[in-house]
């Protein structure tokens, strides 16, 4: 309890951080480039959860934290906080996405065709252990199809709406700067549609999967059919102060539409995120599908799943229990001991 | 309008980490929280370079208030030397150049987790309390929307019922830290998980207290000279921890909130929880010239 | 490692202005000093594109436009700057928030004369007992109308500015005209 102790605390935290970082050693451009190249799906996942699209920064965050995923996302979110919002990109329609992969489980074929694109879905999950004994794994060349699939595809739900199988959600008239931004205003309930979708887009993949899976297993009302799953690139269209529109580049996005029968119509659940992350989108869309009429306090109630799938908050709170709590503990002990003493005193009283 | 007027020179980090728009939002919300004492005001709560639950709410308030002249003290469980207090203090100083202190008397702003210092805070000081869970009704209503409606209706019946049940079952209110309190006769708030010992310090205090929950995105305040009354029944008085008679084994300070230190022989010793106060007591014993402020408690009794 | 960022003059002014506003609202009736004698530092410290502002002072309009805030009618504005307040009926339209969201009640900045005019007595949170002061330049019946319109925790919060001096009167303050 002297000043020495204070310096001791400071020294301890500094040395413990050094110990952690010494395991990862020197971090240079080459390591970041290698991570970015070798782990695109991990990079995508953390960009989505961080709601910050920058592959280099994501790879750097992976390098800096040794892949401790909650730390990665926190690091990127904290960096995001420091950045000004320069412009708001124009909304983009599904049919305008540059599509790499697009499948529907609802129909054998769909207008525009099923486009399998890159996937491990039909691979046999066998470790290439030869790599460990010195034989590199060299992927086989891709043989391009004779007829290239169209880069732009209509949405399946648009066809269903034309055929009066479902009602598309009403188009919200808000534009640009007026679109509610979850990172600039608190999430309140009933939540704004934009907040719900943004929150799911940023949600922690494992958390969304756990709650989405509970809904799929029967703790939700609606059983999902994957209407459409899409991996694509979206053009980021912004306005120059002079008024002209231009593309600032493309970002990878994924999205899922799931549907369920509700009376004579289909109900639609939707989710999208930055980067390619199929599990998250299907699980998130399933939660969205189940929201309507969900009882308070159930996994499919919006307030319940949006709060509990926020990875930075949930992981932070979880690890905060490592912090000393001896004051609160002391306060509880005092109440417990007093209650116990009261009870003992009561037992000692002679019977009336 | 020129392009230049829309931009500003690039800098690796804003002063005080938060950008201007984040600070403005916090300022607006702080004003509203002062205007309606004890009422939880929602705010966006930016991510900061510390994990949620580690004082990010308090940190955002401090970062908004900081300037190069403002002297900062950071405590956790009453101690300046706690590792997380050291980490927050280092961060605040790094991003603002603000001077730091360990002495309650020398601080302009005190950011604290779970304690209010033992020396009475002055009018010119601000206390920022870190809040893990801002909702006093959470134990009777986990759903935030319903709890908000209960605050709107001043519907605290279930809260009272819970206290009543504790008295019936255990002969006393079993609430440890974070004792629910009625602010300005209207809103029930949690004073954050400070011990019951500290709650009376908020009542009609001279200083401004701002309570901020970063993870839960709520901010509330107790302005100076504001009534803060722990929820109690008329015939079962409020009781602080039974620490008034304890003596600190290291500094011999007596009559303050203590940390209990279990001993190998099954007994306990105690040390004063307010580490700065303990250090000063030791310095005085060693003959150093130190200045003490008036304390809220004298000989274990609340003075006001 | 990072070097400590330098506080720009704008940042310093914003910080000092907010310090004055926070202090003034926490101690109703006790004046604090703004960095300059106008509403301009208040706008810089509080207003940006997230705000909906009503302002009847043409001199301040360019600054509010630059901040990116929406300029709207007094109804629905979260910040109201009135250089001139002739008709207290304008108060009827000021946002008071709801029991559910009292923070939706507006912040209203008015120009007054301090130390001259009718005497009022303040009590409530932030006031040690009671505090009397003179506030001039407000239309007759202002305080009565404010009281009639407020149903705590609903209400609006006032900053009364005279030159660089600013006094805060939150909705929690009881104001009696002496």
């Amino acid at each position: 309890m002297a000043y020495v102790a204070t310096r001791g605390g400071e020294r301890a935290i500094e040395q413990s951080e050094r110990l952690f970082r010494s395991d990862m050693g020197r971090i240079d451009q080459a390591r970041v480039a290698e991570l970015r190249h070798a782990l695109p799906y991990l990079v995508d996942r953390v960009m989505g959860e961080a709601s910050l699209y920058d592959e280099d920064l994501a790879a750097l965050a992976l390098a800096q934290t040794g892949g401790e995923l909650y730390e990665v996302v926190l690091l990127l979110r904290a960096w995001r906080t420091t950045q000004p919002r320069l412009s708001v990109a124009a909304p983009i329609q599904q049919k305008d996405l540059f599509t790499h992969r697009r499948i529907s489980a609802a129909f054998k074929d769909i207008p525009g065709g099923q486009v399998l694109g890159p996937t491990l879905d039909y691979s046999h999950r066998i470790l290439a252990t030869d790599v460990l004994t010195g034989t590199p794994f060299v992927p086989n060349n891709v043989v391009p199809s004779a007829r290239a699939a169209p880069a732009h595809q209509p949405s399946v739900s648009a066809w269903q709406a034309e055929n009066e199988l479902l009602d598309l959600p009403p188009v919200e008239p808000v534009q640009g700067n007026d679109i509610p931004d979850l990172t600039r205003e608190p999430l309140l309930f009933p939540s704004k549609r934009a907040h719900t979708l943004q929150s799911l887009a940023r949600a922690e993949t494992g958390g969304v999967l756990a709650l989405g899976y509970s809904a799929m297993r029967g703790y939700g009302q609606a059983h999902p059919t994957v209407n459409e799953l899409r991996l694509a690139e979206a053009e980021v269209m912004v306005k120059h102060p002079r008024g002209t529109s231009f593309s600032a580049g493309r970002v990878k996005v994924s999205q899922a539409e799931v549907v369920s029968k509700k009376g004579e119509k289909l109900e639609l659940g939707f989710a999208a995120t930055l980067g390619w992350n199929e599990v998250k989108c299907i699980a998130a869309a399933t939660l969205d599908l189940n929201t309507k009429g969900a009882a308070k306090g159930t996994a499919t109630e919006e307030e319940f799943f949006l709060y509990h799938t926020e990875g930075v908050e949930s992981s932070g709170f979880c690890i905060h229990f490592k912090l000393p709590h001896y004051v609160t503990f002391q306060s509880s002990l005092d109440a417990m001991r007093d209650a116990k003493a009261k009870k003992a005193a009561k037992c000692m009283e002679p019977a009336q | 309008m020129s392009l230049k007027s829309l931009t500003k020179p690039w800098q690796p980090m804003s002063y005080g980490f938060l950008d201007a728009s984040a600070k403005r939002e916090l300022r607006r919300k702080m004003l509203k929280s002062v205007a309606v004492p004890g009422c939880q005001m929602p705010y966006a709560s930016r991510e900061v370079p510390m994990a949620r639950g580690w004082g990010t709410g308090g940190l955002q308030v401090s970062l908004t208030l900081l300037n190069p002249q403002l002297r900062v003290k950071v405590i956790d469980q009453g101690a300046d030397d706690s590792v997380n207090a050291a980490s927050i203090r280092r961060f605040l100083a790094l991003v603002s150049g603000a001077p730091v202190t360990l002495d309650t008397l020398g601080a302009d702003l005190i950011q604290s987790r779970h304690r209010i210092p033992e020396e009475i805070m002055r009018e010119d000081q601000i206390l920022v309390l870190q809040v893990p869970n801002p909702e006093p009704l959470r134990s009777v209503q986990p759903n935030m929307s319903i709890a908000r409606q209960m605050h709107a209706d001043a519907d605290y019946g279930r809260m009272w019922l819970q206290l009543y049940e504790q008295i019936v079952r255990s002969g006393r209110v079993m609430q440890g830290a974070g004792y629910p309190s009625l602010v300005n006769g209207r809103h029930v708030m949690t004073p954050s998980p400070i011990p019951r010992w500290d709650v009376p310090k908020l009542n009609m205090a001279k200083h401004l207290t701002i309570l901020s929950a970063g993870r839960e995105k709520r901010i509330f305040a107790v302005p100076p000279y504001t009534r803060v009354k722990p929820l109690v029944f008329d015939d079962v008085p409020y009781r602080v921890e039974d620490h008034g008679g304890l003596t600190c084994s290291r500094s011999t300070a007596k009559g303050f909130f203590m940390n209990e230190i279990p001993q190998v022989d099954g007994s306990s010793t105690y040390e004063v929880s307010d580490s700065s106060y303990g250090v000063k007591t030791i310095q005085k014993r060693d003959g150093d010239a130190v200045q003490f402020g008036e304390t809220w408690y004298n000989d274990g009794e609340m003075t006001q | 490692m990072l070097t400590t960022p330098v506080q720009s003059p704008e940042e310093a002014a914003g910080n000092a202005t907010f310090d004055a506003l926070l202090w003034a609202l926490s101690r109703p009736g006790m004046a604090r000093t703004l960095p300059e004698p106008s509403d301009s530092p208040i706008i810089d410290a509080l207003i940006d594109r997230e705000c909906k502002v009503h302002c009847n002072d043409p001199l301040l309009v360019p600054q509010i436009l630059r901040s990116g805030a929406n300029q709207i009618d007094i109804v629905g504005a979260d910040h109201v700057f009135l250089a001139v307040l002739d008709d207290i009926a304008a108060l009827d339209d000021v946002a008071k928030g709801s029991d559910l969201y009292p923070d939706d009640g507006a912040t209203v900045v008015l120009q007054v004369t301090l130390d001259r005019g009718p005497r009022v007595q303040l009590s409530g949170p932030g006031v040690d007992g009671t505090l009397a002061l003179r506030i001039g330049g407000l239309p007759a019946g202002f305080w009565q109308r404010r009281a009639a319109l407020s149903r705590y925790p609903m209400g609006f919060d006032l900053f009364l500015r005279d030159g660089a001096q600013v006094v805060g009167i939150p909705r929690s303050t009881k104001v009696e005209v002496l």
Side-chain angles (χ1 to χ4, degrees), chain C residues 78-161:
Chain C
D78 45 48
H79 290 78
V80 177
F81 293 86
L82 298 178
V84 188
L85 176 65
D86 294 329
D87 185 0
I88 50 168
L91 294 181
D92 300 9
D93 294 332
V94 172
K96 324 260 181 337
S98 60
D99 284 323
L100 216 47
Y101 293 105
D103 46 322
D104 288 339
T107 300
V108 180
V109 182
L110 301 175
Q111 292 181 35
V112 299
T113 54
L114 295 173
D115 304 326
R116 276 173 291 150
R119 257 165 67 85
V120 293
Q121 178 170 283
L122 313 182
S123 58
V127 183
D128 186 7
T130 58
L131 183 97
L133 75 161
R134 292 187 182 279
I135 301 172
L138 293 171
F142 178 89
W143 297 110
Q144 291 81 351
R145 188 69 150 237
R146 170 185 176 272
L149 290 169
S150 307
R151 192 170 64 73
Y152 188 82
M154 293 192 282
F156 52 83
D157 308 306
L158 291 166
F159 284 112
L160 307 176
R161 188 180 63 76

Side-chain angles (χ1 to χ4, degrees), chain B residues 99-119:
Chain B
V100 298
T101 181
L102 310 182
D103 187 354
T104 300
L105 299 183
D108 300 310
L109 181 140
I110 299 176
Q111 179 173 333
S112 170
R113 174 168 173 263
H114 298 185
R115 276 310 312 275
I116 298 176
E118 298 290 4
E119 286 161 293

Side-chain angles (χ1 to χ4, degrees), chain A residues 24-278:
Chain A
M24 264 67 73
R26 195 176 111 98
I27 297 167
D28 56 14
Q29 274 186 313
R31 179 180 295 181
V32 175
E34 174 61 19
L35 283 174
R36 176 186 160 166
H37 189 68
L39 303 169
Y41 287 88
L42 186 59
V43 165
D44 274 12
R45 175 173 164 170
V46 301
M47 290 195 304
E49 294 179 13
S51 56
L52 176 73
Y53 197 91
D54 189 311
E55 289 160 330
D56 290 318
L57 290 176
L60 174 62
L62 284 165
Q64 233 177 288
T65 55
E68 177 29 296
L69 279 190
Y70 296 108
E71 290 291 333
V72 176
V73 176
L74 173 57
L75 197 52
L76 291 170
R77 290 249 191 115
W79 191 86
R80 187 188 190 281
T81 298
T82 65
Q83 299 305 302
R85 184 163 66 172
L86 295 176
S87 185
V88 177
I92 188 163
Q93 301 284 331
Q94 291 190 54
K95 62 183 171 51
D96 300 320
L97 291 173
F98 185 93
T99 304
H100 289 248
R101 167 169 162 79
R102 179 250 198 175
I103 52 171
S104 170
F107 298 101
K108 183 166 187 296
D109 206 355
I110 41 178
Q114 306 258 16
V115 182
L116 222 42
T119 182
L120 286 177
D121 281 353
Y122 306 101
S123 72
H124 298 134
R125 276 71 164 192
I126 300 167
L127 272 176
T129 47
D130 290 351
V131 173
L132 299 178
T133 52
T135 312
F137 174 79
V138 184
N140 290 322
N141 286 333
V142 176
V143 182
S145 149
R147 203 166 45 86
H152 301 283
Q153 309 268 9
S155 77
V156 174
S157 57
W159 182 87
Q160 289 160 332
E162 263 172 46
N163 286 276
E164 291 178 9
L165 291 169
L166 62 69
D167 297 318
L168 289 175
V171 177
E172 302 225 4
V174 288
Q175 287 287 323
N177 198 37
D178 292 337
I179 298 171
D181 181 346
L182 185 68
T183 67
R184 309 233 155 198
E185 46 194 77
L187 177 63
L188 301 171
F189 295 92
S191 93
K192 298 170 181 167
R193 183 64 182 154
H195 281 176
T196 302
L197 293 176
Q198 290 160 9
S199 190
L200 286 173
R202 281 156 62 90
E204 198 263 324
T205 305
V208 175
L209 175 61
L211 296 186
Y213 178 54
S214 76
M216 294 169 192
R217 276 194 70 240
Y219 286 91
Q221 321 293 317
H223 184 79
T225 297
V226 173
N227 209 33
E228 185 179 320
L229 175 73
R230 199 188 282 236
L231 301 184
E233 291 177 55
E235 207 85 57
V236 179
M237 298 299 290
V238 288
K239 268 220 163 77
H240 191 277
R242 274 202 295 268
T244 51
S245 274
F246 68 99
S247 167
R250 276 193 217 149
V251 293
K252 280 156 86 184
V253 293
S254 37
Q255 59 162 58
E257 278 178 358
V258 298
V259 290
S260 172
K261 180 168 62 69
K262 176 107 187 227
E264 293 161 11
K265 285 266 172 100
L266 293 170
E267 259 199 315
L268 186 67
F270 179 82
T273 188
L274 287 174
W276 289 357
N277 188 339
E278 298 186 0

